[in-house]
Amino acid sequence: MPAPAAGIARAGVAVRLAEDRTLAGVGDEFVDLADDAVVSVAHPVHLDVRAWSEVFADYEILQPFRQLARDVQALAAQELSSTRLARYDDRKALTVKLLALERRGWRRSGQDGGHQGRIERDLPGGATLIVDLDPGITMGAPTDNPQQSLHIWICPDGGDQWSRKHAVPFSTLDPTTASELLRDLNSCF
């Protein structure tokens, strides 16, 4: 067996554990990690999914969870410069599905007299994705309003969460965060 090609992996290199317990890249090349390397599960937005899927198929590698087949979403060009997501205008989200987002790190907020008018999610860097709901969720009787209209915007870190005046464009989201947020929101229709 020839000696593996030496090379220290740089940030953002995708690897798999090979049969001999070394790390291999998508082309089966040997990859050596630096001692202080941070290893994480790659999101498919950062992978050549077709190439990695072929490797997994060739070696009959079973994934313990959906990774390569994970649904990837992207913001459209006009959405990147916008401060709201117009793709959800004129659509009605199901209240019960919006409530289910709490299992994925979302939270209800905007309480006023037993009524909750929004759900939100913290973003990297301290900003908050805010989803204003119309007509909102009645506490204690969430099915009173089975459908919600959505107005989605990003409040910057330290910004006024009650005014959309200082909303920031969706281009501030990295592709992974955008994909996961859109995936969550799309599950509500």
Side-chain angles (χ1 to χ4, degrees):
M1 173 185 245
I8 302 261
R10 61 188 191 287
V13 171
V15 298
R16 69 174 179 87
L17 188 61
E19 305 75 30
D20 62 359
R21 296 187 182 258
T22 62
L23 298 177
V26 70
D28 279 337
E29 71 279 6
F30 172 77
V31 178
D32 188 19
L33 294 181
D35 290 340
D36 61 348
V38 176
V39 177
S40 64
V41 177
H43 191 279
V45 76
H46 298 292
L47 296 172
D48 179 344
V49 173
R50 193 179 102 217
W52 277 105
S53 294
E54 288 176 13
V55 169
F56 275 51
D58 288 348
Y59 287 101
E60 298 179 355
I61 299 170
L62 299 176
Q63 298 178 63
F65 56 90
R66 283 179 61 116
Q67 181 183 11
L68 293 174
R70 187 172 187 82
D71 188 27
V72 174
Q73 304 287 320
L75 293 163
Q78 68 273 20
E79 291 174 325
L80 290 169
S81 61
S82 180
T83 58
R84 62 184 268 274
L85 284 180
R87 73 168 67 185
Y88 297 107
D89 291 354
D90 303 321
R91 294 182 68 193
K92 299 287 185 183
L94 298 174
T95 301
V96 293
K97 289 189 175 189
L98 290 165
L99 292 172
L101 293 178
E102 291 179 311
R103 290 179 283 180
R104 295 184 186 169
W106 293 74
R107 65 182 170 276
R108 287 183 268 174
S109 66
Q111 183 176 332
D112 182 26
H115 179 82
Q116 292 172 316
R118 64 172 44 163
I119 59 170
E120 56 189 44
R121 175 87 194 240
D122 293 331
L123 299 173
T128 305
L129 183 84
I130 296 178
V131 180
D132 290 320
L133 306 173
D134 183 24
I137 301 169
T138 304
M139 292 175 57
T143 57
D144 278 358
N145 300 307
Q147 295 183 331
Q148 304 287 330
S149 295
L150 312 179
H151 185 97
I152 303 164
W153 57 288
I154 298 173
C155 180
D157 185 24
D160 178 3
Q161 290 196 0
W162 301 106
S163 172
R164 298 179 200 143
K165 186 167 69 171
H166 299 291
V168 295
F170 282 86
S171 61
T172 60
L173 297 176
D174 65 86
T176 302
T177 301
S179 179
E180 291 303 303
L181 291 171
L182 292 171
R183 186 174 177 270
D184 283 353
L185 290 167
N186 287 337
S187 74
C188 297
F189 296 93

